[in-house]
Amino acid sequence: QKVQVLPQTVLYIADAETFSGHEECHEQKKARKRNSKETAIALEKLLPKRCQVLGLVTPGVVVTPMGSSSNPPQEIEEGEAGFALLFPKIDGVKIHTFHFSKDSKNRVFDESKFAEAGLKNNPDLRVVLLFGYNSWKSGATRFLHQIVNPLNEKSIILAGGQVESFTSLTSENNNAQPGDACGVVGLAFSGPQIQSATVLLDQDVADERTAEAAMQRLKAANIPEHNTIGFMFACVGRGYRHYKTKRNMEADAFRKFFPNVPLFGFFGHGEIGCDRIVTGNFVLRECNDIKDDLLHGYTTVMTLIHLGSTK
């Protein structure tokens, strides 16, 4: 008997080469933009109409093939690659997409939009994955601070990074992203059964020993590993170049400590996250009520999201 589960939320990530190829002339760029959108539309036609879809384009991809623990996770820094995570309806868990774009007319972000997106006055909010796009634009970093700072609370996990662009956001009009706009898209995970933890691998983590020490900190969070997903958000400056030509260092270190947890993510242009655990009111470290520094460069953020026990 076949059992089919319809996805309610889809996150897909593909590296820029998958959409663009290697050509760099102006005419080819026009063709690539059309190809990117056509790919997104074709994918969305395969999914239920009410399905929320968030699609991202990044410089590189981290993926566990088929999402199976029998396959080791791979850091794919060059060449075409991508993946899609399909989340079905999960009892006790709500996942929703959001999008905040920079308003060129107003320098101050209207924080009432947080409540509309379920990111404020939501006692069940546990994890927010944030992705900034067009970070090269003037004012993009300031806008990202305006989004991240009000959400920087010990009771939730914030993790993510800066991507090239987003290709899909079906909760909004597909034309909502002007080519020169900048902003933040993401996924919010709400539900009392969700547990999560993040660790930050800073610039000093540069060999196998220190990478594994970071994974030991993540392991010490005691997040249940069944029905759990791992995310890795790394700087394009890390990977095999950072580890002196040794490839897949961080993904291999993750697998050593979490052999049954699939790992997904990307290489991007800046990272969002810190050392933090959310299991009830417990956090990994006390900061004397000082806000954690969440925006980084040349780092890697490792995240675990446990979606609760399965029957």
Side-chain angles (χ1 to χ4, degrees), residues 216-264:
Q216 284 179 316
R217 295 205 310 277
L218 193 58
K219 187 79 172 180
N222 289 320
I223 301 296
E225 294 176 28
H226 181 64
N227 203 25
T228 294
I229 305 170
F231 286 98
M232 172 178 163
F233 305 116
C235 180
V236 290
R238 291 183 73 85
Y240 72 89
R241 298 175 188 85
H242 180 70
Y243 287 102
K244 306 295 189 288
T245 72
K246 187 173 177 64
R247 293 180 180 269
N248 228 62
M249 176 77 79
E250 293 174 347
D252 285 346
F254 179 89
R255 180 175 170 81
K256 180 176 180 178
F257 288 89
F258 303 96
N260 297 310
V261 178
L263 182 67
F264 302 93

Side-chain angles (χ1 to χ4, degrees), residues 36-193:
S36 172
K37 187 159 187 174
E38 286 170 4
T39 302
I41 292 171
L43 177 61
E44 287 165 25
K45 284 182 178 178
L46 300 174
L47 300 167
K49 286 188 176 180
R50 294 185 179 180
C51 184
Q52 299 181 102
V53 183
L54 175 57
L56 306 174
V57 179
T58 61
V61 168
V62 180
V63 61
T64 301
M66 304 305 293
S68 171
S69 60
S70 62
N71 294 318
Q74 300 175 12
E75 299 175 17
I76 304 175
E77 300 179 61
E78 298 160 348
E80 297 183 11
F83 65 85
L85 291 177
L86 283 67
F87 296 94
K89 182 178 180 1
I90 305 170
D91 289 340
V93 175
K94 181 180 179 182
I95 306 172
H96 66 269
T97 59
F98 60 86
H99 178 205
F100 304 124
S101 58
K102 182 176 178 292
D103 185 346
S104 59
K105 298 177 183 177
N106 297 312
R107 285 179 56 84
V108 179
F109 179 73
D110 180 3
E111 292 191 13
S112 68
K113 293 180 180 178
F114 286 132
E116 295 172 12
L119 301 178
K120 282 289 184 182
N121 305 320
N122 178 3
D124 288 335
L125 182 64
R126 294 292 183 270
V127 183
V128 181
L129 299 183
L130 296 160
F131 310 110
Y133 62 87
N134 285 352
S135 58
W136 53 271
K137 286 291 296 180
S138 174
T141 300
R142 182 176 180 274
F143 182 75
L144 182 59
H145 275 282
Q146 289 182 330
I147 302 300
V148 169
N149 291 347
L151 299 176
N152 189 0
E153 300 176 1
K154 296 270 190 285
S155 60
I156 62 173
I157 292 291
L158 294 182
Q162 300 270 22
V163 302
E164 296 274 351
S165 61
F166 74 88
T167 58
S168 298
L169 190 70
T170 52
S171 63
E172 302 214 5
N173 187 312
N174 265 325
N175 297 320
Q177 181 202 4
D180 60 350
C182 62
V184 176
V185 294
L187 290 175
F189 294 76
S190 301
Q193 69 200 42

